[in-house]
């Protein structure tokens, strides 16, 4: 079974630009989450999508947005890039389905997209 | 708020030494607890999990017990190998599929 695939692996952008990152989950997984990983803040939750709907959102500004398609693939968009957006962006998929129960299903991570903003 | 605090690194051990990486959590409900590992050049992968108090998760010689009374989930291994060198993350999940991660502990095992 193929794992979580993220494209591209590396991106270099300049301040003010926007960027779109892509994630293909494991087949059969309908939940897709995005995380930002930095040396200073560690892993921080951005948002989660399930069946094309955003179910949870972390504490990030509105410049960070995402969407999920009917085939469960997801994209994340960051507009008006800032230097502080430089990070490794990780996508994770899961079998978790319920919004009201805690998740016992682990996250399966992709290798990430390394975004550098200059 | 909900959070995970784990032992600061880096940790350097000799091969066959005993490993403990401390992890404590703060949660408003009853979370599921996880340890993830990130080997050099690879993505995060699940190491083990525990879903209720007193559960013990285990994998690849690593163990962690869900201790509700001390809100802890410490990772242990009796005899580490060079191949265990990696960054280890403690995490919890509550409602839905939102996970909270610790800052990670880097482990280097020397021969």
């Amino acid at each position: 079974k193929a794992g979580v695939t993220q494209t591209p692996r590396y991106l270099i952008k300049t301040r003010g630009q926007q960027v779109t990152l892509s994630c293909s989950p494991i087949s059969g997984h309908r939940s897709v989450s995005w995380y930002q990983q930095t040396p200073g803040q560690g892993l921080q939750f951005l948002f989660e999508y399930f069946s094309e709907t955003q179910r949870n959102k972390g504490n990030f500004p509105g410049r960070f947005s995402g969407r999920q398609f009917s085939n469960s693939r997801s994209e994340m968009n960051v507009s008006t890039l800032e230097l502080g957006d430089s990070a490794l962006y990780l996508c994770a998929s899961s079998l978790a389905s319920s919004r009201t129960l805690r998740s016992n299903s682990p996250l399966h991570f992709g290798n990430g997209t390394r975004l550098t903003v200059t | 708020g909900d959070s995970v605090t784990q032992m600061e690194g880096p940790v350097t051990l000799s091969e066959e030494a005993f490993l403990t990486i401390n992890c404590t959590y703060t949660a408003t409900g009853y979370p599921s607890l996880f340890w993830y590992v990130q080997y050099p050049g690879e993505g995060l992968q699940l190491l083990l999990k525990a879903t209720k108090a007193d559960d013990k998760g285990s994998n690849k010689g690593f163990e962690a017990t869900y201790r509700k009374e001390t809100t802890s989930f410490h990772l242990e291994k009796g005899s580490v190998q060079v191949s265990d060198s990696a960054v280890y993350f403690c995490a919890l999940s509550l409602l839905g599929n939102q996970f909270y991660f610790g800052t990670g502990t880097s482990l280097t095992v020397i021969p």
Side-chain angles (χ1 to χ4, degrees):
Chain A
K1 208 177 208 182
V4 177
T5 305
Q6 290 188 247
T7 56
R9 289 297 307 276
Y10 302 94
L11 270 175
I12 300 175
K13 293 285 187 179
T14 56
R15 276 182 300 175
Q17 288 187 312
Q18 76 164 20
V19 67
T20 299
L21 283 53
S22 181
C23 171
S24 293
I26 291 173
S27 177
H29 287 191
R30 294 164 64 190
S31 170
V32 175
S33 306
W34 289 89
Y35 288 80
Q36 181 194 66
Q37 187 178 19
T38 59
Q41 300 294 319
L43 277 151
Q44 293 188 287
F45 173 76
L46 281 155
F47 29 65
E48 184 220 0
Y49 286 86
F50 183 85
S51 292
E52 302 178 66
T53 301
Q54 187 181 87
R55 294 203 299 186
N56 291 303
K57 190 176 191 305
N59 190 27
F60 278 80
R63 299 185 297 107
F64 292 81
S65 64
R67 59 178 176 168
Q68 187 180 32
F69 302 95
S70 58
N71 61 358
S72 293
R73 191 177 71 83
S74 178
E75 288 182 346
M76 190 190 97
N77 186 76
V78 188
S79 62
T80 320
L81 283 165
E82 300 177 359
L83 295 179
D85 297 333
S86 294
L88 180 66
Y89 289 88
L90 294 168
C91 170
S93 73
S94 166
L95 282 170
S97 60
S98 173
R99 181 176 189 171
T100 57
L101 299 175
R102 67 174 182 183
S103 174
N104 295 334
S105 299
L107 299 175
H108 299 264
F109 285 89
N111 287 334
T113 294
R114 172 77 61 187
L115 171 65
T116 302
V117 182
T118 62
Chain B
D2 305 309
S3 64
V4 172
T5 302
Q6 66 179 99
M7 175 176 157
E8 293 282 335
V11 174
T12 302
L13 294 173
S14 297
E15 208 165 21
E16 298 184 4
F18 184 84
L19 168 71
T20 299
I21 301 178
N22 289 338
C23 171
T24 57
Y25 67 88
T26 302
T28 50
Y30 299 98
S32 296
L33 300 173
F34 303 80
W35 276 100
Y36 281 82
V37 59
Q38 190 170 34
Y39 297 104
E42 297 183 20
L44 273 163
Q45 53 188 276
L46 177 68
L47 182 59
L48 52 84
K49 72 174 186 179
T51 57
K52 61 182 187 297
D54 300 324
D55 265 4
K56 177 186 282 188
S58 61
N59 186 25
K60 298 182 180 180
F62 290 89
E63 292 183 340
T65 301
Y66 189 140
R67 302 283 188 203
K68 184 181 166 190
E69 63 276 12
T70 54
T71 62
S72 66
F73 193 54
H74 304 322
L75 182 68
E76 296 182 336
K77 186 173 185 182
S79 175
V80 293
Q81 306 300 312
V82 172
S83 57
D84 294 326
S85 298
V87 182
Y88 293 82
F89 294 87
C90 185
L92 68 82
S93 72
L94 285 163
L95 296 180
N97 208 29
Q98 182 168 348
F99 280 61
Y100 296 86
F101 285 84
T103 53
T105 301
S106 175
L107 170 67
T108 301
V109 180
I110 54 178

